[in-house]
Amino acid sequence: MKSTIALTAVAALAAKASAACWSESLGYPCCSSPNANVEYTDADGKWGVENGNWCGIPVPEACWSEKLGYPCCSSSSAKVEYTDADGKWGVENGNWCGIQTTPGTPSPVPTPDIEVKPGEQYTHSGNPFSGVEFFLNPYYVAEVDAAIEQMTNSSLKAKAEKMKTYSNAIWLDTIKNMHQWLETNLKGALQQQEFTGSKVLTVFVVYDLPGRDCHALASNGELLANDSDAQRYKTEYIDVIEEKLKYYKSQPVVLIVEPDSLANLVTNLDSTPACRDSEKYYLDGHAYLIQKLGVLPHVAMYLDIGHAFWLGWDDNREKAGKVYSKVISSGKPGKVRGFTDNVANYTPWEDPTLSRGPETEWNPCPDEKRYLQELMHKDFKAAGIESVYFVCDTSRNGHKVDRKHPGEWCNQTGVGVGARPQASPVSGMDYLDAFYWIKPLGESDGTSDTSAARYDGYCGHDTAMKPAPEAGQWFQKHFEQGLENANPPL
């Protein structure tokens, strides 16, 4: 009986309508649980935040399941057979019953041992970030929980709690991590999608090219720039990603492709031997992954274009148009939706204090908005690129950092988390698909230990926060400063 109930739970309860909520009359949806975190209280009621939007927290009723056509269980300690967005469900006398909870009970989450199989093929239409829920990265939630345990300031703890309600990207930065995180999170997003009835978008960063980050030391990858590792990249990494994505076909996915790689081909071939050695593997790797992953209708891909103080100058933009056009053409019939900028960087979205002049080394686009709005969109269109849309990483650019030159990138002091993940965030910029948190705030850019094998001089600059751990490891002090300087405030 238990097995039958578990296996048929999704089908049996998928048709239940969510309870109406007082906030709907005010133009806001209900939160998914009456036990959601209270972020604000006014005369209307208690408010929470889900997927970056305000929601009204439903008032618990004596028996919440009755309005859904089911009685409440006779005991609040009844065995939980199934959990969905409405609450926890038990079985009495062969019938479903709602288990009453007390205030402070954690919000219900999908039950991991209930197997959910993908449904019909999903196909992106227009902006991949619109009309979907954003999947919450469980690994990052756990990192923030651990960070909160180290805090004593109640205000800072409250800000950190809010960080857990926003989505960020899941980095597949080694073959091992790809195996650990890709299917696990696709499955979690699928469960959430089935339980809520809404499409759930998961964002992954594909990041393991041979000779990765050829111009940096802190984030060098596991694969070397040689034929053997290039083959491993294809068969052990991209092919596995393709296999899993093909299986999980009923849910939307966005891939952020190989940050920094193509931008390095635009600017660093002449100055950096490692980039010259990596060039053919970067080009071949992109062609392969676009051909493999760019044909999947539920997958939207964005190639990385660095940031305003990397490719913003006139000659760099002109060269970039040619490089990116060539790469996209090499991947046919695969398609690329657009491009990501400011990944893991600190350049503000807008900085009206800066203009083209000596202070910016005559860069005509000293912030990300001008970089996209006035320049890259026009230049890429002129280069013959058909689909030119952007996702800007706002995870760490809310506050103007203390760097002495806008090209500095390692653990910058003055950091502040920026605009929340949101689709179509700027009126009049229909080619800006989203603000999104691609680089998780709190994860280090690189170590400040000068004796470390992966030490990069940028991590020792005056404006780089020290002491800092290895790239990707948790950096508590940097995280806390990012919360304090958040703009908009948390």
Side-chain angles (χ1 to χ4, degrees):
M1 178 66 177
K2 177 183 176 184
S3 176
T4 302
I5 290 172
L7 290 174
T8 60
V10 173
L13 295 177
K16 295 191 298 82
S18 296
C21 180
W22 55 269
S23 63
E24 289 181 346
S25 62
L26 301 173
Y28 296 89
C30 298
C31 298
S32 61
S33 168
N35 300 308
N37 287 335
V38 178
E39 306 291 353
Y40 179 69
T41 301
D42 63 11
D44 293 306
K46 295 180 178 180
W47 298 86
V49 174
E50 290 184 351
N51 299 321
N53 295 313
W54 290 106
C55 58
I57 300 177
V59 179
E61 299 180 4
C63 182
W64 57 268
S65 61
E66 285 183 348
K67 60 191 171 189
L68 302 173
Y70 301 87
C72 272
C73 301
S74 59
S75 171
S76 61
S77 59
K79 187 174 183 179
V80 178
E81 300 288 356
Y82 175 70
T83 301
D84 68 3
D86 292 308
K88 296 180 178 180
W89 296 86
V91 174
E92 288 184 351
N93 302 318
N95 295 316
W96 291 104
C97 59
I99 300 175
Q100 294 171 276
T101 59
T102 56
T105 303
S107 301
V109 295
T111 306
D113 59 355
I114 296 179
E115 184 68 25
V116 180
K117 292 185 177 181
E120 295 182 357
Q121 177 71 57
Y122 178 84
T123 300
H124 282 295
S125 177
N127 184 350
F129 291 84
S130 294
V132 296
E133 292 184 2
F134 296 164
F135 181 67
L136 295 181
N137 180 351
Y139 178 77
Y140 186 70
V141 171
E143 283 188 312
V144 175
D145 279 335
I148 292 172
E149 293 180 1
Q150 301 181 50
M151 298 176 182
T152 57
N153 183 291
S154 59
S155 175
L156 204 60
K157 285 185 176 182
K159 294 178 189 294
E161 288 287 351
K162 292 181 183 179
M163 289 292 292
K164 297 190 299 181
T165 67
Y166 296 105
S167 177
N168 55 32
I170 299 163
W171 288 63
L172 310 177
D173 56 353
T174 64
I175 293 172
K176 177 183 177 180
N177 285 346
M178 180 272 295
H179 281 288
Q180 182 175 0
W181 294 118
L182 178 62
E183 186 167 26
T184 297
N185 290 295
L186 286 171
K187 185 181 294 185
L190 177 60
Q191 288 181 330
Q192 181 181 332
Q193 181 167 291
E194 291 297 318
F195 297 154
T196 65
S198 300
K199 291 298 180 182
V200 177
L201 173 69
T202 315
V203 179
F204 296 98
V205 180
V206 177
Y207 187 57
D208 202 25
L209 270 176
R212 188 182 76 193
D213 282 2
C214 59
H215 191 62
L217 296 175
S219 49
N220 287 164
E222 63 180 350
L223 300 178
L224 302 178
N226 59 49
D227 292 346
S228 175
D229 278 3
Q231 187 63 22
R232 289 191 65 198
Y233 178 74
K234 294 178 180 180
T235 59
E236 298 181 34
Y237 186 72
I238 296 299
D239 286 358
V240 177
I241 293 175
E242 177 196 28
E243 175 191 357
K244 300 303 181 184
L245 291 178
K246 280 185 173 180
Y247 179 76
Y248 292 92
K249 63 182 181 179
S250 62
Q251 61 203 96
V253 172
V254 160
L255 300 180
I256 310 299
V257 177
E258 299 293 352
D260 293 354
S261 57
L262 296 181
N264 271 315
L265 298 190
V266 174
T267 62
N268 294 320
L269 289 181
D270 294 335
S271 62
T272 310
C275 291
R276 290 196 298 273
D277 294 341
S278 301
E279 180 182 16
K280 73 172 184 176
Y281 301 112
Y282 282 16
L283 294 175
D284 187 46
H286 275 81
Y288 189 81
L289 70 88
I290 295 172
Q291 291 166 5
K292 287 277 189 173
L293 309 178
V295 297
L296 304 178
H298 64 299
V299 175
M301 296 200 304
Y302 295 81
L303 307 183
D304 184 64
I305 56 169
H307 53 86
F309 278 93
W310 191 341
L311 301 183
W313 287 268
D314 296 344
D315 53 346
N316 285 348
R317 295 195 326 276
E318 180 181 0
K319 186 176 181 180
K322 296 176 182 178
V323 169
Y324 285 84
S325 178
K326 176 183 177 182
V327 167
I328 293 171
S329 295
S330 73
K332 292 180 177 179
K335 296 182 179 179
V336 171
R337 168 69 183 180
F339 309 90
T340 52
D341 67 290
N342 207 42
V343 173
N345 210 265
Y346 301 85
T347 310
W349 173 246
E350 286 188 276
D351 188 350
T353 67
L354 292 178
S355 60
R356 186 172 192 169
E359 184 180 359
T360 61
E361 297 183 357
W362 304 99
N363 187 343
C365 48
D367 57 34
E368 294 303 306
K369 184 176 182 180
R370 280 177 277 187
Y371 181 49
L372 302 186
Q373 183 179 39
E374 300 298 335
L375 303 168
M376 294 306 281
H377 183 247
K378 296 178 181 177
D379 291 340
F380 276 20
K381 283 288 187 180
I385 300 174
E386 296 179 0
S387 186
V388 184
Y389 297 90
F390 300 99
V391 177
C392 181
D393 186 355
T394 57
S395 60
R396 306 189 299 176
N397 73 343
H399 184 262
K400 193 170 183 178
V401 293
D402 300 336
R403 56 188 180 186
K404 296 178 179 179
H405 183 275
E408 295 186 274
W409 52 266
C410 191
N411 299 321
Q412 293 300 287
T413 55
V415 62
V417 67
R420 314 301 182 251
Q422 180 185 351
S424 305
V426 179
S427 177
M429 292 184 70
D430 57 357
Y431 49 86
L432 179 63
D433 279 347
F435 287 151
Y436 193 76
W437 291 354
I438 299 175
K439 170 72 173 182
L441 175 70
E443 294 185 1
S444 175
D445 295 320
T447 180
S448 59
D449 180 1
T450 57
S451 65
R454 296 173 67 186
Y455 172 73
D456 190 296
Y458 276 92
C459 300
H461 285 191
D462 292 343
T463 59
M465 188 179 289
K466 297 178 280 291
E470 289 279 1
Q473 294 182 7
W474 191 255
F475 194 175
Q476 182 77 10
K477 185 177 178 182
H478 203 244
F479 176 69
E480 292 183 5
Q481 187 174 86
L483 300 182
E484 293 170 347
N485 292 333
N487 180 31
L490 288 165

